[in-house]
């Protein structure tokens, strides 16, 4: 090998070593950079994952189906409780657009009047009227029903929508407010107006319920919820009572062509959260603002159950997103529990359960009857 070839080979080896050394320096620099930015990269990745999960959760919570029925309600009268805001107000607006005679109720006359005026102006439907009703007062419910039966010619749809969720409070009759307003007030109103609904059959009763009923417990010895009260427990118990009542009233009224439907509207941003106390209440209100459905979205299944055809065979069921929702059978389909709830509710409202009174007693053979009379003597 001559000197020129040797020099060329040495030069090539030196270039290779320089490249390796340069590469090692670059790797060292890259490692330093990675060490510096790694925490920032981790934070960015975590934030992206969290935001994606929040977006997907929001999509899930706000998933909604628009009412698929275009049916109008010409000549139909609808009564809606708690119609001054939220789902009740949105439902009233939708049904007024379909030319229903809509009767709104609320506790404050000026507020109900203002909502009725707004709906008349938006829809051009002049058959939207305001009525005053306080579901926390059984006497007021009784007087309201008496006046309604006297003044109104018809009732085709009753929508039991009003609700309370908040700190422990009592109705005017001394009952726990969540149970009294959400369930018992509607129970009594429905009972008093049931004859009106029968006379205008086929008619419908729609009870606004909630999936939180699965957390509810019915303790007839503690209807005041003195043990371990919480706003959620109170609300869940009242909604459990409503779901049970929805099926029981179906069994009692279906023969008169009065259909009953429960509606779970999903998580909806309404004034229901305004009274929830404490830090959890503040967090719930902030969360609801960004994550929950709007009242216009939340009312779609209510409207569907009020106007759609072909729902007779689904009377007594609970709907969500315009489809039948599966309920927890062990809680809801216990007929003994339903009858007991109806009986206790009737007693609290000051009347006897006529159906229970008219239930035939088992016959006793004459010889056994004589033996019983002798023992009694």
């Amino acid at each position: 090998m001559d000197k020129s070839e040797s020099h060329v080979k040495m030069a090539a080896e030196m270039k290779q070593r320089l490249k390796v050394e340069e590469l090692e320096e670059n790797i060292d620099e890259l490692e330093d950079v990675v060490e510096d930015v790694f925490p920032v990269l981790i934070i960015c990745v975590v934030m992206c994952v969290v935001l994606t999960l929040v977006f997907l959760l929001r999509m899930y919570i706000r998933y909604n189906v628009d009412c698929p029925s275009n049916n109008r309600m010409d000549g139909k009268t609808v009564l809606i409780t708690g119609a001054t805001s939220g789902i009740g107000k949105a439902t009233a607006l939708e049904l007024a657009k379909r030319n229903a005679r809509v009767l709104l109720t609320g506790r404050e006359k000026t507020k109900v009047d203002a909502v009725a005026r707004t709906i008349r102006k938006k829809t051009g439907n002049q058959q939207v009227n305001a009525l005053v009703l306080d579901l926390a007062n059984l006497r007021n419910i009784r007087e309201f029903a008496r006046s309604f039966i006297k003044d109104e010619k018809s009732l085709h749809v009753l929508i039991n929508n009003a609700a309370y969720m908040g700190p422990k409070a009592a109705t005017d009759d001394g009952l726990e407010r969540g149970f009294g307003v959400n369930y018992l007030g509607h129970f009594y109103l429905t009972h008093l107006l049931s004859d009106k609904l029968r006379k205008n059959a086929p008619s419908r009763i729609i009870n606004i319920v909630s999936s939180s009923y699965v957390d509810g417990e019915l303790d007839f010895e503690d209807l005041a919820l003195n043990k371990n009260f919480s706003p959620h427990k109170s609300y869940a118990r009242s909604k459990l009572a409503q779901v049970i009542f929805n099926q029981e009233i179906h069994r009692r009224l279906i023969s008169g062509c009065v259909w009953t439907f429960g509606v779970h509207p999903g998580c909806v941003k309404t004034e229901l959260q305004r009274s929830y106390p404490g830090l959890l209440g503040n967090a719930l209100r902030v969360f609801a603002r960004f994550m929950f459905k709007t009242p216009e979205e939340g009312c779609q299944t209510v409207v569907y159950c009020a106007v759609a055809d072909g729902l007779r065979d689904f009377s007594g069921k609970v709907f969500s997103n315009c489809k039948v929702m599966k309920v927890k059978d062990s809680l809801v389909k216990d007929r003994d529990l339903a009858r007991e709830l109806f009986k206790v509710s009737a007693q609290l409202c000051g009347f006897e359960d006529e159906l229970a009174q008219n239930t035939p007693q088992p016959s006793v053979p004459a010889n056994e009857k004589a033996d019983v009379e002798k023992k009694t003597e």
Side-chain angles (χ1 to χ4, degrees), residues 206-272:
I206 300 172
N207 296 298
I208 310 303
V209 299
S210 167
S211 61
S212 63
Y213 80 90
V214 297
D215 299 325
E217 295 180 4
L218 281 177
D219 182 357
F220 296 112
E221 302 300 321
D222 185 29
L223 289 178
L225 261 188
N226 291 319
K227 301 174 186 175
N228 302 319
F229 174 88
S230 76
H232 177 71
K233 282 186 177 181
S234 166
Y235 185 73
R237 181 184 67 163
S238 69
K239 292 303 172 180
L240 172 60
Q242 270 193 302
V243 173
I244 294 172
F245 169 67
N246 185 65
Q247 287 205 344
E248 180 63 15
I249 203 69
H250 154 71
R251 288 190 282 266
R252 293 169 180 247
L253 296 181
I254 186 64
S255 61
C257 289
V258 180
W259 310 336
T260 64
F261 307 104
V263 171
H264 167 50
C267 298
V268 183
K269 180 179 63 177
T270 68
E271 291 190 13
L272 181 65

Side-chain angles (χ1 to χ4, degrees), residues 13 46 51 59 93 104 106 110 124 128 152 175 181 188-189 200 204 210 225 256 264 268 300 304 314 327 335 344:
E13 290 177 350
V46 170
L51 289 174
M59 292 290 288
L93 180 63
L104 316 177
T110 53
V128 180
E152 294 295 330
L175 299 166
V181 171
Y188 195 28
L189 180 66
N200 292 274
R204 309 184 188 199
S210 167
L225 261 188
H264 167 50
V268 183
Q300 294 301 309
Y304 175 73
F314 301 102
V327 296
R335 293 203 175 192
V344 170

Side-chain angles (χ1 to χ4, degrees), residues 94-112:
E94 289 296 319
L95 295 181
K97 289 178 181 177
R98 296 170 187 253
N99 205 37
R101 173 173 165 75
V102 182
L103 305 176
L104 316 177
T105 75
R107 288 177 298 162
E108 302 174 26
K109 180 172 173 51
T110 53
K111 194 171 183 179
V112 192

Side-chain angles (χ1 to χ4, degrees), residues 20-33:
V20 171
E21 289 174 357
E22 185 179 356
L23 180 60
E24 289 176 347
E25 289 177 1
N26 290 338
I27 291 173
D28 290 339
E29 290 178 1
L30 182 61
E31 287 177 348
D32 292 339
V33 171

Side-chain angles (χ1 to χ4, degrees), residues 87-351:
I87 295 174
K89 181 180 177 181
T91 301
L93 180 63
E94 289 296 319
L95 295 181
K97 289 178 181 177
R98 296 170 187 253
N99 205 37
R101 173 173 165 75
V102 182
L103 305 176
L104 316 177
T105 75
R107 288 177 298 162
E108 302 174 26
K109 180 172 173 51
T110 53
K111 194 171 183 179
V112 192
D113 284 337
V115 172
R117 281 196 303 271
T118 300
I119 293 176
R120 286 196 296 267
K121 185 176 180 180
K122 284 184 176 180
T123 63
N125 184 346
Q126 300 304 309
Q127 302 181 91
V128 180
N129 297 320
L131 303 172
V132 178
L133 171 63
D134 184 0
L135 288 164
N137 186 309
L138 294 175
R139 180 179 177 181
N140 181 266
I141 296 171
R142 190 160 51 246
E143 292 173 350
F144 171 88
R146 187 182 298 120
S147 176
F148 185 93
I149 293 168
K150 177 184 175 183
D151 298 338
E152 294 295 330
K153 294 180 180 179
S154 59
L155 177 61
H156 300 93
V157 182
L158 170 61
I159 301 177
N160 293 323
N161 165 73
Y164 170 83
M165 180 173 65
K168 189 169 186 178
T171 65
D172 295 344
D173 303 285
L175 299 166
E176 190 274 317
R177 192 172 187 86
F179 183 81
V181 171
N182 301 355
Y183 164 67
L184 193 67
H186 288 126
F187 166 89
Y188 195 28
L189 180 66
T190 302
H191 167 75
L192 294 171
L193 297 180
S194 58
D195 284 342
K196 196 80 166 176
L197 288 162
R198 285 192 191 97
K199 289 176 182 177
N200 292 274
S203 53
R204 309 184 188 199
I205 299 168
I206 300 172
N207 296 298
I208 310 303
V209 299
S210 167
S211 61
S212 63
Y213 80 90
V214 297
D215 299 325
E217 295 180 4
L218 281 177
D219 182 357
F220 296 112
E221 302 300 321
D222 185 29
L223 289 178
L225 261 188
N226 291 319
K227 301 174 186 175
N228 302 319
F229 174 88
S230 76
H232 177 71
K233 282 186 177 181
S234 166
Y235 185 73
R237 181 184 67 163
S238 69
K239 292 303 172 180
L240 172 60
Q242 270 193 302
V243 173
I244 294 172
F245 169 67
N246 185 65
Q247 287 205 344
E248 180 63 15
I249 203 69
H250 154 71
R251 288 190 282 266
R252 293 169 180 247
L253 296 181
I254 186 64
S255 61
C257 289
V258 180
W259 310 336
T260 64
F261 307 104
V263 171
H264 167 50
C267 298
V268 183
K269 180 179 63 177
T270 68
E271 291 190 13
L272 181 65
Q273 298 98 21
R274 72 184 183 278
S275 300
Y276 206 105
L279 183 62
L280 181 59
N282 292 330
L284 178 62
R285 285 183 283 275
V286 172
F287 188 79
R289 190 176 303 166
F290 298 102
M291 302 292 286
F292 287 5
K293 297 178 184 179
T294 64
E296 291 71 26
E297 292 170 334
C299 79
Q300 294 301 309
T301 304
V302 185
V303 174
Y304 175 73
C305 288
V307 305
D309 297 323
L311 296 185
R312 182 186 184 282
D313 292 340
F314 301 102
S315 177
K317 305 294 186 182
V318 176
F319 282 74
S320 179
N321 286 323
C322 300
K323 293 182 179 179
V324 174
M325 182 180 91
K326 184 175 176 57
V327 296
K328 195 172 182 180
D329 291 354
S330 59
L331 283 174
V332 176
K333 294 188 177 179
D334 185 337
R335 293 203 175 192
D336 291 334
L337 178 63
R339 282 191 288 264
E340 181 66 16
L341 175 62
F342 203 99
K343 177 183 174 182
V344 170
S345 302
Q347 291 170 347
L348 288 171
C349 293
F351 69 93

